[in-house]
Amino acid sequence: MMRGGTSMLGIVNFITFLASIPVLGGGIWLASRANSTDCIRFLQWPIIVIGLAVMVVSLMGFAGACYRQTWLLRIYLFAMFFVVVALLFFIVFAFAVTDRGEGQVVMNRRFLEYQLSDYNGWLRNRVADQQYWATIAACLRDGHACKGMRRGVRDPNTGMMVAESPAMFANRNLSPIESGCCKPPSSCGFNYNNETYWTPIPGSSVADPDCYKWSNDQQTLCFGCDSCKAGVLAGIKKSWRKVAIINIVVLIILVIVYVAGCAAFRNAKRMDNDESYGMARMTKSRPSRFQF
């Protein structure tokens, strides 16, 4: 009975080892986005560490179950408890810091507009910090975040590639960073020349401060705008929640494995006690060499 229980626990831990791969993959995916897209470089490392910890602990539980080493199961249960708590903390943290903020629908626009005032909390304050934002803006420029905005169409009369029309641009589905950082806000009412080149209407007055921060310099654009900061926050929210949903599934698996590990550990201790008791009885039941 014990051998069947430990074998089952070994299989479950092997499944947990496989389930840790998405956690590690999610951390690596966030790290890749941190270098070019989201440009936030502090969350991916805890996820990578948790993924590696799940792998190591799963192998530990697999070995303890297969070789019936109670001391290894004890360490495994102790480590698994902290891994579960750490993963739960990340999930709660990821949803807590991204609980507010959605893109705003603009008339005659398929893409959404983003405003920094829609966000609050610790993450907003971190992104809005001027020193930290300078690092993020440099990352966006170096990663050519607006390169994908440029899209040419062929003129049917000349056969030359020209910029798409304003109507075609308005019908595009832009990412949060493209919408917030690579063009001026729609409220500015600028004239469209191409995706990243806009000219203000002479004599018009605008209320949005981001309109005055816009520049047709391809190294500046709207990287200093609050709409760009809001676009980065929207991108982070989307990325973090994708990873958090995967981690919820992994957390459920880990909890099941932890409960199974507790049961296997109790069974192992019980079997060890039964074997010791049985050996003692056999020793006492042996006849004495001395017969009186």
Side-chain angles (χ1 to χ4, degrees):
M1 185 70 179
M2 175 60 189
R3 180 169 298 177
T6 54
S7 298
M8 180 59 66
L9 182 59
I11 295 173
V12 172
N13 272 281
F14 180 72
I15 296 174
T16 306
F17 175 82
L18 297 178
S20 67
I21 296 176
V23 179
L24 184 60
I28 296 174
W29 180 69
L30 287 177
S32 66
R33 291 181 64 86
N35 293 327
S36 59
T37 306
D38 293 337
C39 291
I40 300 294
R41 298 185 176 95
F42 62 89
L43 185 68
Q44 67 272 15
W45 296 115
I47 298 302
I48 292 175
V49 170
I50 291 175
L52 291 174
V54 172
M55 283 187 173
V56 173
V57 172
S58 298
L59 292 175
M60 188 183 303
F62 182 80
C66 291
Y67 295 100
R68 296 172 55 188
Q69 298 293 327
T70 56
W71 65 271
L72 195 58
L73 284 175
R74 191 188 300 272
I75 299 176
Y76 155 76
L77 292 175
F78 183 79
M80 180 63 77
F81 173 79
F82 285 100
V83 169
V84 170
V85 171
L87 191 58
L88 178 62
F89 173 81
F90 162 75
I91 294 172
V92 174
F93 175 79
F95 279 98
V97 299
T98 59
D99 62 334
R100 289 194 59 186
E102 297 289 344
Q104 297 182 357
V105 178
V106 180
M107 186 178 297
N108 299 325
R109 298 288 190 275
R110 184 179 180 183
F111 52 80
L112 302 177
E113 297 274 343
Y114 299 89
Q115 295 185 0
L116 189 60
S117 58
D118 293 336
Y119 298 85
N120 64 358
W122 171 83
L123 189 59
R124 178 195 182 278
N125 296 335
R126 184 174 178 86
V127 171
D129 179 75
Q130 292 299 324
Q131 184 176 359
Y132 191 70
W133 177 251
T135 303
I136 297 176
C139 171
L140 293 172
R141 282 192 293 268
D142 295 341
H144 305 287
C146 299
K147 185 178 181 180
M149 287 277 288
R150 303 183 184 92
R151 182 183 299 175
V153 294
R154 192 172 299 277
D155 190 319
N157 297 322
T158 63
M160 302 289 291
M161 296 299 295
V162 297
E164 60 185 358
S165 66
M168 294 174 63
F169 179 77
N171 198 40
R172 285 181 53 179
N173 188 18
L174 303 178
S175 70
I177 290 180
E178 289 176 338
S179 177
C181 305
C182 305
K183 66 170 191 60
S186 298
S187 59
C188 299
F190 289 174
N191 287 324
Y192 169 88
N193 294 278
N194 62 38
E195 295 85 355
T196 58
Y197 193 92
W198 302 69
T199 54
I201 299 176
S204 63
S205 60
V206 292
D208 193 339
D210 283 348
C211 300
Y212 300 99
K213 299 177 182 178
W214 167 260
S215 172
N216 287 318
D217 181 355
Q218 298 301 296
Q219 293 298 314
T220 303
L221 297 179
C222 217
F223 292 132
C225 301
D226 286 345
S227 63
C228 187
K229 299 174 184 177
V232 170
L233 289 171
I236 293 171
K237 177 178 179 178
K238 186 176 181 180
S239 300
W240 286 12
R241 292 211 166 185
K242 284 181 179 179
V243 177
I245 291 174
I246 295 174
N247 289 338
I248 288 174
V249 178
V250 175
L251 179 64
I252 295 173
I253 296 175
L254 291 181
V255 171
I256 295 173
V257 171
Y258 184 77
V259 173
C262 291
F265 180 70
R266 287 195 301 267
N267 289 337
K269 289 183 64 177
R270 185 182 303 115
M271 186 169 185
D272 289 342
N273 293 333
D274 291 342
E275 287 179 353
S276 300
Y277 177 70
M279 291 175 63
R281 290 186 60 184
M282 289 297 294
T283 302
K284 292 181 180 179
S285 62
R286 291 176 183 173
S288 174
R289 294 183 181 179
F290 302 97
Q291 301 294 331
F292 296 98

